[in-house]
Amino acid sequence: GRCRRADDVADEVGANRALALAELDAIEADLQMALDGTPRNAIDAGLAATFRAYPGLSVDPFLDMLTGFKTDIQEDAVRFRKWEPDLRTYCERVAGGVGLMLLPLLGAGDAPEDVKQRGVDLGVAIQLTNVLRDVGADAAVNRVYLPLEDLETCGADLDDVLRGKLTPEYVKAVEVQIARARELYASARSAVPDLPENARLVVCAIIELLEAIVDELEARGGDSLTRKLKPTKVAVLQA
């Protein structure tokens, strides 16, 4: 719930950055109060109980996510030069911890390092999927998450992206990101056999549902620039 709320605040900042930053600060303060034993509401009390029940669950990934969102909001323009280390590092900061937070909840808090890394890959895949889903909406507020190097290599014009102009060169750059997302989901999927048996279905469902968004983007010819991407019911049911 807190992850979703923070993500919504970052996505819907609009022109009122001060209000959005204050909201993220409030989320962080609520989290800290809950962990200190003074939750403000039933949701925070449930969150605190979860942390008590799972000692391996760390708050650090959540705090890293909030830091990443705050950085976004404070910038007049968002740009990333390369996939690695730039966009990949950003994705790890705001979502890489999602996979790590899942592991203790799934009974895999003591998983080996390679499984934890594939958990990070799942979070990165989720954030890269978010990037691909929201290209048009982000460009409208001067945020371009697609690596500039990839745009240039594919011959795409940054100004066209900012204007919402769909071009074959832009689609090629999106196809590069789609391939990366699929590699990351494949990495996460390869960790499933190493998880406790009762956790495998949950992780598979998360992967399939989110990769359905990538499938839908591909089916649309890479266009989330002129219209927001929402997977069809058919795509979700087939996932």
Side-chain angles (χ1 to χ4, degrees), residues 10-193:
D11 283 345
E12 297 168 7
V13 55
N16 199 335
R17 287 189 284 182
L19 183 61
L21 287 169
E23 178 71 6
L24 290 176
D25 285 339
I27 291 171
E28 185 172 350
D30 287 350
L31 174 64
Q32 195 58 59
M33 288 178 67
L35 296 181
D36 289 343
T38 54
R40 295 180 58 186
N41 52 51
I43 293 174
D44 289 345
L47 180 64
T50 300
F51 273 95
R52 288 195 300 271
Y54 296 92
L57 189 60
S58 171
V59 72
D60 291 342
F62 193 88
L63 296 176
D64 288 343
M65 179 189 68
L66 290 176
T67 298
F69 288 152
K70 288 177 184 180
T71 300
D72 271 3
I73 292 170
Q74 289 168 334
E75 297 290 339
D76 291 325
V78 173
R79 305 284 189 272
F80 294 91
R81 182 71 226 158
K82 298 181 177 184
W83 164 244
E84 288 191 295
D86 305 322
L87 182 57
R88 164 91 198 199
T89 299
Y90 167 79
C91 290
E92 286 187 0
R93 182 180 300 126
V94 301
V98 171
L100 293 179
M101 287 189 284
L102 274 174
L103 288 175
L105 301 177
L106 296 173
D110 58 351
E113 284 304 313
D114 64 317
V115 172
K116 290 181 179 179
Q117 181 54 55
R118 284 177 279 172
V120 172
D121 284 346
L122 175 58
V124 173
I126 292 170
Q127 188 59 28
L128 183 55
T129 300
N130 288 343
V131 165
L132 290 169
R133 181 195 64 196
D134 296 334
V135 175
D138 287 331
V141 291
N142 207 14
R143 298 180 185 177
V144 177
Y145 293 86
L146 302 181
L148 300 180
E149 182 178 68
D150 292 337
L151 292 173
E152 292 164 4
T153 298
C154 295
D157 191 320
L158 175 61
D159 288 337
D160 285 343
V161 177
L162 291 169
R163 288 195 296 265
K165 181 181 177 181
L166 188 69
T167 66
E169 294 79 11
Y170 165 81
V171 171
K172 288 179 183 177
V174 168
E175 288 171 350
V176 172
Q177 315 314 315
I178 288 175
R180 286 190 180 123
R182 293 204 184 281
E183 288 178 4
L184 289 160
Y185 282 121
S187 173
R189 194 176 282 111
S190 72
V192 170

Side-chain angles (χ1 to χ4, degrees), residues 206-235:
I206 292 170
I207 293 170
E208 296 302 322
L209 286 170
L210 287 161
E211 196 167 9
I213 299 173
V214 180
D215 294 339
E216 183 67 13
L217 176 61
E218 202 163 42
R220 278 194 188 186
D223 182 16
S224 61
L225 184 61
T226 66
R227 52 181 178 157
K228 186 167 181 177
L229 183 69
K230 292 183 179 179
T232 64
K233 290 182 180 179
V234 172

